[in-house]
Amino acid sequence: MTTSNASLKRWVDDVARLTQPASIHWCNGSDAENTALIEAMLKSGDLIKLNQDTHPNCYLHRSHPSDVARVEHLTFVCTRNKEDAGPNNHWMDPTEAHRKIDGLFAGAMRGRTMYVIPYCMGPIDSPFARCGVEITDSPYVVVNMRLMTRMGDAALTRIEREDKYVKGLHSIGDLDPDRRFIMHFPEELTIKSVGSGYGGNALLGKKCHALRIASWQAREEGWLAEHMLLMGLQSPEGRTHYVAAAFPSACGKTNLAMLVPPASMPGWKIWTLGDDISWLHVDEQGQLRAINPESGYFGVVPGTNRKTNCNAYDMIQRDTIFTNVALTADNQPWWEGLENGTPVLDWQGKPYTPGNGPAAHPNSRFTVSAKQNPIYSTLADAPEGVPISAILFGGRRREVAPLVYEARDWAHGVLVGAGMASETTAAAVGQMGVVRRDSMAMKPFAGYNFADYWSHWLKLGSGANASKLPKIFHVNWFRQDRNGRFMWPGFGENLRVLRWITDRCEGKVPAIETPIGLLPRKQDLDISGLDMDPSTLETLLSIDAGAWRQEVDAISKYLDEYGSRVPSQLREELKGVAKRLEAANAA
Ligand code: SAT
Ligand code: MN
């Protein structure tokens, strides 16, 4: 097989000349192709068959022990002008970057098969979808891309029609971290990734395309590519609000998107559209709408069980690829937080000894088709997307950030998103639990200068129909008390907070004006049936003026790092918060 598209054919030929594969395979996305790839990987040891009685069609992949997460320090945005990449990105001159990485690609696929994967991010017939082609020497990448994107013949047909697509070149190379680079050339709509076979480093449709390159394209074309889950909240009266929510990696996006309503909220229904990425557009009526560009989930496994999230738990009992989980004696996947079973082999395949670290890697993952989600929204495939009522920003904050607050308006909401901070997690290599600024949860994913990105957000809001703009909220499920215990139960109980949010969207309840935004009145947040004393709720819904003055100073310093490109409107918004804090202090 090949293609009628001359530029694609030429690129594939060029790559083959550089990387020297033994053969070239054009992926059509069929079941037969998938089965053959899995068979081959079982033979080569790339995949291990899990217990087919308990977990039909489930497989385990163990990645190289040095290759278990995204590598932000090896991820580059290569723009002609360094300022365009901004202080939020590592930068390399594009000519230098191509030279360096092409050197690593030279002969990299010798003796291997080169797979050409045409894919579409978003419903195949959506005007908001965008296509790409990933070339890779990893069959694991192919079977994952088949779950995560609309991959194969239909995508190729669209690519041939449009003649515009993102080019992604990937090779696992020799997996040596010293020869590992994830490089983005947004001006050329090109990605080159070498030396890693893991998740976001290798499945180029995901973070590399749908966030870094797409955020760049989105600014040029007037839309937003965001690190946001997408969900519908249906009230017992049958009204559905769609919400997009940005949280950093491994902060519970998948769980929130698949939330199971608590017993205290009968009649509520949740519909999942996406768990990681949203592409947002203002439509002709000035309404913000969103699609999920992905078609599957690459979710964190540890902690998933019947109690925390039975939807997610049920979904991964079949047709799932597990990466870096542990194994029981009868070959069932095992991870920390699972209620039963005993691990005998850890994520590296070594005999498991308790007390010697976790059995499953903390960033172990499942890959599964979104269609397996029991609460998959029928609108997830709608080409026009869904109208957005509310945007949520949230991080992991032990202190300072209250359970929930509402921004005063769009511009203030942009400040709330820009000032977001969160403790780091196992999703990226590096120290864990350190608070860092993570604007809109896009620190690792914005493909251009954050200062320009904030301007773009502000501009998008001013160009939309103000009465139709979604409200913006900040939430924090992760507040801890003095003894380090979580103060809010999280998981399904988060719906109590989401209900307040939809009440606000419908203008049903008033809110309390504070210097940082609008907070719920205690009586409007239902905590019936929760084992929570009133003082805990008090703390969750109050603001510490001293801590917030420090927060404002920290955000101000953070904005300073971005110099003169920072939009003055954002600084004005921050000054507004500072002034209101002073006024409250004086009163
Ligand atoms: O490895 S991924 O980037 O796909 C997962 C994540 O960090 O969110
Ligand atoms: Mn993510």
Side-chain angles (χ1 to χ4, degrees):
M1 201 189 122
T2 175
T3 175
S4 62
N5 183 294
S7 91
L8 177 55
K9 194 169 172 325
R10 205 173 324 115
W11 176 54
V12 171
D13 288 346
D14 288 346
V15 168
R17 211 167 303 120
L18 176 67
T19 59
Q20 300 283 310
S23 60
I24 300 177
H25 176 112
W26 287 74
C27 299
N28 60 20
S30 68
D31 289 344
E33 175 182 79
N34 189 56
T35 307
L37 284 168
I38 286 173
E39 285 304 322
M41 281 189 280
L42 288 170
K43 248 189 221 136
S44 69
D46 273 342
L47 286 184
I48 295 162
K49 201 178 244 176
L50 292 169
N51 188 322
Q52 297 295 299
D53 298 327
T54 58
H55 292 78
N57 207 20
C58 289
Y59 304 94
L60 166 66
H61 172 74
R62 293 194 186 115
S63 70
H64 190 274
S66 74
D67 187 29
V68 292
R70 281 182 292 102
V71 279
E72 294 179 9
H73 60 296
L74 303 175
T75 300
F76 291 81
V77 170
C78 310
T79 45
R80 278 185 302 251
N81 177 350
K82 180 174 182 183
E83 279 292 297
D84 291 338
N88 45 310
N89 283 301
H90 297 294
W91 175 84
M92 206 183 284
D93 172 74
T95 311
E96 156 80 4
H98 280 303
R99 197 188 50 73
K100 193 169 186 135
I101 203 161
D102 286 352
L104 298 171
F105 275 114
M109 299 188 187
R110 239 173 235 136
R112 307 176 60 91
T113 300
M114 176 174 117
Y115 301 93
V116 182
I117 312 171
Y119 64 88
C120 180
M121 301 310 290
I124 199 98
D125 51 349
S126 170
F128 306 126
R130 295 286 182 277
C131 291
V133 177
E134 175 166 358
I135 298 180
T136 179
D137 56 5
S138 162
Y140 168 79
V141 165
V142 180
V143 296
N144 275 273
M145 284 290 282
R146 181 167 180 270
L147 294 167
M148 299 302 298
T149 72
R150 279 91 170 167
M151 176 265 257
D153 285 344
L156 184 59
T157 303
R158 179 165 170 165
I159 288 166
E160 288 170 343
R161 190 178 66 235
E162 290 182 336
D163 196 26
K164 189 168 185 190
Y165 55 93
V166 172
K167 293 188 180 85
L169 173 55
H170 169 254
S171 168
I172 54 172
D174 58 10
L175 294 177
D176 181 340
D178 288 335
R179 283 191 288 278
R180 179 176 298 163
F181 291 103
I182 322 309
M183 291 180 172
H184 304 74
F185 305 87
E187 289 146 329
E188 305 164 37
L189 299 186
T190 294
I191 305 154
K192 292 184 179 179
S193 166
V194 73
S196 167
Y198 190 83
N201 301 332
L203 312 176
L204 301 186
K206 194 173 180 57
K207 309 296 190 181
C208 298
H209 177 166
L211 289 175
R212 297 195 191 95
I213 299 287
S215 62
W216 178 285
Q217 266 187 309
R219 181 182 46 157
E220 285 185 339
E221 298 170 5
W223 48 284
L224 294 168
E226 297 298 325
H227 194 203
M228 291 176 175
L229 66 86
L230 188 57
M231 69 196 290
L233 305 162
Q234 185 183 322
S235 69
E237 299 79 44
R239 272 191 307 277
T240 303
H241 284 283
Y242 293 94
V243 168
F247 300 85
S249 299
C251 288
K253 279 197 300 299
T254 307
N255 280 324
L256 188 64
M258 300 184 66
L259 182 145
V260 182
S264 65
M265 292 180 71
W268 283 82
K269 280 205 182 95
I270 302 301
W271 303 107
T272 317
L273 288 101
D275 79 330
D276 196 37
I277 300 175
S278 295
W279 285 358
L280 306 123
H281 316 256
V282 179
D283 72 10
E284 271 128 40
Q285 283 75 45
Q287 168 74 54
L288 195 68
R289 308 186 74 87
I291 60 162
N292 167 20
E294 299 188 286
S295 64
Y297 311 128
F298 184 66
V300 175
V301 184
T304 307
N305 63 48
R306 275 210 182 88
K307 278 200 206 105
T308 54
N309 191 332
C310 66
N311 286 330
Y313 181 82
D314 289 347
M315 171 177 79
I316 59 176
Q317 299 306 306
R318 64 180 173 93
D319 303 293
T320 301
I321 300 169
F322 290 90
T323 300
N324 293 338
V325 295
L327 281 181
T328 64
D330 65 345
N331 250 7
Q332 295 193 48
W334 193 92
W335 53 86
E336 275 67 22
L338 198 64
E339 290 156 306
N340 36 40
T342 314
V344 295
L345 293 180
D346 71 9
W347 63 275
Q348 296 189 58
K350 296 189 182 138
Y352 171 66
T353 23
N356 204 5
H361 191 278
N363 194 34
S364 51
R365 299 273 171 164
F366 55 75
T367 322
V368 68
S369 162
K371 297 228 163 68
Q372 261 169 247
N373 177 354
I375 57 167
Y376 184 62
S377 166
T378 50
L379 289 181
D381 292 300
E384 72 281 10
V386 291
I388 299 299
S389 299
I391 288 176
L392 273 53
F393 293 121
R396 234 175 232 277
R397 295 295 298 270
R398 250 170 267 254
E399 41 199 16
V400 187
L403 179 61
V404 58
Y405 65 97
E406 179 186 328
R408 299 157 62 91
D409 54 25
W410 181 270
H412 178 230
V414 174
L415 173 71
V416 169
M420 254 175 77
S422 192
E423 292 153 28
T424 49
T425 70
V429 170
Q431 205 184 343
M432 271 172 65
V434 196
V435 175
R436 70 162 179 182
R437 293 288 146 200
D438 191 350
S439 294
M440 283 81 168
M442 284 286 279
K443 166 71 186 75
F445 308 122
Y448 63 102
N449 192 320
F450 256 160
D452 299 336
Y453 169 84
W454 302 324
S455 298
H456 180 50
W457 262 83
L458 289 166
K459 191 168 147 219
L460 192 107
S462 61
N465 181 336
S467 70
K468 288 191 171 158
L469 273 176
K471 283 179 176 290
I472 298 180
F473 298 82
H474 187 281
V475 297
N476 178 21
W477 319 130
F478 298 95
R479 273 293 278 270
Q480 291 178 22
D481 66 14
R482 252 182 254 110
N483 303 315
R485 274 187 302 249
F486 287 112
M487 297 171 78
W488 179 252
F491 297 105
E493 308 298 348
N494 291 337
L495 186 56
R496 296 168 188 263
V497 176
L498 297 176
R499 180 193 343 203
W500 180 75
I501 286 171
T502 58
D503 282 349
R504 289 292 299 162
C505 292
E506 292 182 0
K508 271 194 187 158
V509 289
I512 301 170
E513 286 250 14
T514 79
I516 67 159
L518 302 156
L519 265 79
R521 302 184 307 175
K522 274 189 250 24
Q523 64 266 38
D524 293 329
L525 196 77
D526 176 21
I527 58 158
S528 58
L530 288 184
D531 181 21
M532 177 177 289
D533 59 65
S535 73
T536 302
L537 186 65
E538 184 89 37
T539 311
L540 284 170
L541 294 183
S542 62
I543 61 163
D544 172 343
W548 270 95
R549 272 194 295 275
Q550 283 177 20
E551 184 76 2
V552 167
D553 284 346
I555 295 172
S556 177
K557 289 209 182 76
Y558 170 67
L559 296 186
D560 288 345
E561 290 170 30
Y562 290 84
S564 60
R565 284 203 191 194
V566 174
S568 55
Q569 199 183 355
L570 203 60
R571 292 207 182 274
E572 288 308 315
E573 287 296 334
L574 187 62
K575 269 191 212 138
V577 180
K579 259 199 219 124
R580 291 192 295 273
L581 280 165
E582 285 318 318
N585 199 29

